[in-house]
Amino acid sequence: MKSLIDICDLSREEIDSLLDTANDIIAHPEVYSEKCRGKKLATLFFEPSTRTRLSFEAAMYELGGNVLGFSEAQSSSASKGESVADTARVVSCYADIIAMRHPKEGAPLVASMHASVPIINAGDGGHNHPTQTLADLLTIKREKGGFDGLTLGFCGDLKFGRTVHSLIAAMSRYKDIRVVLISPQELKLPSYVKRDILQKNGIPYTQTTDFESVIDSLDILYMTRVQRERFFSEEEYLRLKDSYILTPEKLRRAKSDLCVMHPLPRVNEISTAIDNDPRACYFKQVLYGKYMRMALILMLLGVN
Ligand code: CP
């Protein structure tokens, strides 16, 4: 039994296989509509979510399966003090696979050590978000045709932005990647991600606070929200929240085939005036996330 806790739990070959399956689902959805008949997915969300939870649920329904779960810790027995380990053991009695989001880094890993069914990390604190990365990879593959040779700019809250950490880890496996890190000093990429992923894999990277000086060099621009829920001080959040706002004026400097991505939710980082620009890919990411989660459920349940 395999779980997905970190994007590196998947080999490059497994990611290629998930991308192929997702593309096949997009082309032939009818072939997949009964694949999970009789199977149940539990969504255990101890933190708010729109996309991840609903796309997991839509994915399971579109595979012919069923869904159970909760969308806030308060409505579960965690509010009475039940541990993540016990919750995972208990829900394993009711479901064939579990998607878990939790504010504490490492909680889905703990769940995977006690569950008897596969656990999918649907976001753990400021750590990782591997299924968002699967959505991001399908978006990049469909927009750019592949991964090698791309210059990726990550902009905003690179400290707490778990989607950034997971996508950098996934992209570090491809050839001739360059990374540009754009953030305020206070929200720089954690040193462990730089050391264990970028430096270890010999990925060239630069760090800057000056967004406008680098936008013309990028093939992918990955904007992120400043993660209010991870701040200890509201004052600090308010000071940093509008550090970077992508406007049509700034986008004018960018390549004509730039791919603008954002895991969403958006607060103020991308002007809505960009939404109809052909370079805006963030709503495609949302849709592709559902197909990649369908492919992942099939893989983890061992369904052909
Ligand atoms: N991208 C993402 O994780 O969105 P939600 O928080 O709405 O699930």
Side-chain angles (χ1 to χ4, degrees), residues 152-222:
L152 298 106
F154 294 89
C155 179
D157 184 350
L158 309 189
K159 179 179 180 185
F160 297 119
R162 57 194 176 195
T163 63
V164 170
H165 309 160
S166 292
L167 184 54
I168 288 177
M171 289 300 298
S172 70
R173 293 160 154 183
Y174 296 96
K175 277 199 292 191
D176 301 326
I177 295 300
R178 286 172 300 284
V179 169
V180 182
L181 303 168
I182 309 145
S183 74
Q185 290 296 338
E186 297 85 342
L187 298 177
K188 281 163 77 173
L189 191 73
S191 338
Y192 80 88
V193 182
K194 280 184 258 181
R195 186 190 60 233
D196 297 346
I197 299 173
L198 293 173
Q199 290 162 11
K200 192 170 162 195
N201 291 291
I203 310 284
Y205 70 94
T206 53
Q207 296 188 96
T208 182
T209 55
D210 184 1
F211 179 44
E212 287 173 55
S213 69
V214 292
I215 189 169
D216 61 346
S217 67
L218 307 177
D219 301 305
I220 306 285
L221 170 58
Y222 197 92

Side-chain angles (χ1 to χ4, degrees), residues 236-253:
E236 182 81 338
Y237 166 72
L238 293 173
R239 189 171 67 76
L240 294 170
K241 75 182 176 70
D242 290 330
S243 298
Y244 301 102
I245 300 175
L246 184 62
T247 58
E249 189 188 27
K250 287 183 189 146
L251 201 54
R252 238 173 262 135
R253 293 162 172 257

